Amino acid sequence: CTETYAEKYYNRMEVQKAMHANTTGIPYRWTACSDVLIKTWQDSELSMLPIYKMLMKAGLRIWVFSGDTDSVVPVTATRFVISHLGLKTKIRWYPWYSAGQVGGWSEVYEGLTFASVRGAGHEVPLFQPRRAFRMFQAFLAGEPLPKS
Amino acid sequence: AAAGAGVEECEERARNDRVEALPGQPPVAFAQYSGYVTVNEERGRALFYWLTEAAGDAARKPLVLWLNGGPGCSSVAYGASEEIGPFRIKPNGTGLFLNKYSWNREANLLFLESPAGVGFSYTNTTSELKTSGDERTAQDALQFLINWMSRFPQYRHRDFYIAGESYAGHYVPQLARKIVEYNKASSYPFINLKGILVGNAVTDNYYDNIGTVTYWWTHAMISDHTYKAILKSCNFTSANVSRACSRAMNYAMNHEFGDIDQYSIYTPSCA
């Protein structure tokens, strides 16, 4: 229910004042998601795969992670997508560890790293903050996730 | 200067954006800023950002821009307040407490409410709330970065990453593509993009849909009968959804899933 807490907190006048927010008197309440935008969204590219290939060519570090208890954009969807990039494997599938437990599984390709996060839903850092933070540290360091 | 403002003016704007403390916030040692950056003067579009600098040695830590998806959802509501930000909101919005695993332990976190119409971000051209899409969102986000880095020049050339989840599986690579193209065209590139990090990301219509239905079946959320009905009636290569497909998908969600939180299938849903 944490989303309802945000709806209350960010609609408090003193919070908006402290954040220099809503300085133009927006004619609607602050809300976590805009119904208008999601219902009237116009252009949406069918696939990001061509962009991934362009970004790999530009030498960017690309990490894709997936909380494995999400059924909205689930880990199987991400795996289908990655498998169709046709990448060469650098480090084969292995369990990665956080705090002595399996944090998920990972595979490192030429140009992209995949990691699942065990027991996390759609908002991975909400459900598994410690594992998400460990993954973030590895991403910033440009290192594979730990094998123990 | 890129934003048409002098350096002194930019520095003054940065000072004006300084957040001393939020109501009900515990004391912290890092700085935070929030406010508006205009991305389209003529149409009156301005995006709201919240920067929580890194705890300890902010000047040497990378900058990470976090985007939530939707489309239409707020990075302040989710990324900052439920996921990677330094604060969590107490029940009923009475105050804040610290997030032990905040990502600002390792980086300066920039949360952006994008596009205009999300959260505190606004447009003075109300009709625009119904014409948002991938392209304008990416263009405005690039313009935001260019103008924001005029206000915070200390972040020019800093290691920079873009992260996000869900429909930001579109926003993140599309903005990265714009930055790569912008840098190529610039004789003096200052946005030092090093990489992207996306989670449970909307990536490819066809494979996402096939993978989602596969997950439902392999995680025993739907019956064999429904699984076969979906595969038979849904053509995921097309953006249009047939009535038979909608019927099969709706039956799965309304009659077989049960009252669950689809975003986290083993945790209790919010009453």
Side-chain angles (χ1 to χ4, degrees):
Chain A
C1 297
T2 42
E3 195 177 306
T4 58
Y5 309 160
E7 295 273 348
K8 289 186 174 66
Y9 189 74
Y10 294 110
N11 278 300
R12 285 171 48 184
M13 291 307 292
E14 65 275 33
V15 172
Q16 294 182 3
K17 190 167 183 311
M19 297 188 86
H20 324 110
N22 197 3
T23 49
T24 59
I26 297 171
Y28 46 80
R29 272 172 63 85
W30 179 93
T31 181
C33 288
S34 160
D35 274 347
V36 172
L37 260 73
I38 198 163
K39 285 178 181 150
T40 61
W41 195 257
Q42 301 294 306
D43 54 298
S44 175
E45 285 186 88
L46 282 178
S47 180
M48 296 297 111
L49 295 186
I51 304 180
Y52 274 27
K53 291 183 176 140
M54 178 255 196
L55 298 178
M56 285 176 204
K57 214 171 281 171
L60 263 61
R61 182 181 309 156
I62 300 176
W63 280 44
V64 177
F65 64 94
S66 186
D68 65 6
T69 68
D70 173 30
S71 73
V72 175
V73 189
V75 58
T76 40
T78 299
R79 293 187 65 186
F80 269 123
V81 167
I82 291 175
S83 68
H84 285 85
L85 275 168
L87 303 174
K88 202 158 149 273
T89 301
K90 278 176 68 178
I91 303 177
R92 293 197 58 179
W93 202 267
Y94 68 97
W96 65 274
Y97 284 80
S98 165
Q101 287 203 12
V102 172
W105 281 264
S106 178
E107 189 152 75
V108 181
Y109 306 96
E110 297 281 358
L112 183 145
T113 293
F114 166 78
S116 74
V117 182
R118 181 169 66 87
H122 196 66
E123 294 177 76
V124 169
L126 168 62
F127 294 101
Q128 290 294 342
R130 182 170 190 171
R131 291 176 187 157
F133 182 66
R134 185 65 195 85
M135 178 192 67
F136 181 59
Q137 286 178 308
F139 166 72
L140 286 184
E143 289 163 0
L145 284 156
K147 291 195 171 179
S148 61
Chain B
V7 173
E8 301 72 32
E9 188 181 337
C10 289
E11 284 165 359
E12 190 197 349
R13 282 194 198 164
R15 275 195 302 275
N16 293 342
D17 284 356
R18 180 73 189 256
V19 174
E20 294 312 324
L22 291 172
Q25 171 204 309
V28 292
F30 56 83
Q32 41 180 333
Y33 300 81
S34 60
Y36 286 97
V37 172
T38 299
V39 292
N40 187 300
E41 199 85 48
E42 180 204 340
R43 313 288 287 180
R45 284 198 306 273
L47 299 185
F48 182 80
Y49 79 90
W50 180 11
L51 171 71
T52 58
E53 291 200 321
D57 205 2
R60 296 164 56 85
K61 297 232 168 107
L63 176 67
V64 173
L65 170 66
W66 174 273
L67 297 167
N68 275 98
C73 294
S74 158
S75 304
V76 167
Y78 295 101
S81 308
E82 299 197 338
E83 299 186 82
I84 68 168
F87 305 118
R88 287 279 191 273
I89 300 175
K90 287 179 183 169
N92 298 324
T94 53
L96 304 173
F97 61 96
L98 292 177
N99 168 16
K100 180 181 172 187
Y101 293 106
S102 171
W103 290 14
N104 86 318
R105 286 169 49 183
E106 299 287 354
N108 300 282
L109 304 179
L110 179 56
F111 299 99
L112 178 64
E113 289 193 308
S114 166
V118 171
F120 292 122
S121 296
Y122 67 84
T123 173
N124 290 333
T125 314
T126 312
S127 59
E128 287 194 327
L129 293 178
K130 298 187 176 174
T131 58
S132 289
D134 284 8
E135 172 53 29
R136 193 173 77 199
T137 298
Q139 186 54 41
D140 279 1
L142 173 66
Q143 192 58 53
F144 165 83
L145 277 176
I146 294 166
N147 295 354
W148 187 86
M149 286 192 180
S150 297
R151 194 175 302 180
F152 294 90
Q154 66 270 36
Y155 284 103
R156 289 164 161 243
H157 308 291
R158 184 82 64 90
D159 281 3
F160 173 58
Y161 299 91
I162 315 173
E165 87 197 7
S166 197
Y167 196 80
H170 277 217
Y171 298 160
V172 171
Q174 287 167 336
L175 173 56
R177 172 175 59 183
K178 288 243 182 238
I179 292 169
V180 168
E181 290 163 352
Y182 176 78
N183 284 345
K184 259 188 215 152
S186 164
S187 52
Y188 181 63
F190 55 84
I191 305 178
N192 185 19
L193 179 62
K194 309 289 280 185
I196 64 171
L197 169 69
V198 289
N200 295 79
V202 175
T203 310
D204 178 280
N205 262 31
Y206 178 69
Y207 298 123
D208 285 349
N209 278 308
I210 289 285
T212 299
V213 174
T214 305
Y215 184 91
W216 293 351
W217 187 71
T218 54
H219 284 69
M221 293 168 68
I222 59 174
S223 64
D224 295 3
H225 179 268
T226 298
Y227 180 54
K228 287 174 189 149
I230 291 173
L231 293 183
K232 184 161 169 276
S233 57
C234 296
N235 169 13
F236 291 126
T237 56
S238 152
N240 307 311
V241 182
S242 71
R243 282 161 58 94
C245 175
S246 288
R247 222 178 11 252
M249 296 287 259
N250 289 335
Y251 184 81
M253 288 190 228
N254 301 328
H255 297 282
E256 296 192 343
F257 277 13
D259 179 19
I260 64 164
D261 175 354
Q262 294 180 35
Y263 291 94
S264 176
I265 62 176
Y266 305 125
T267 49
S269 46
C270 178

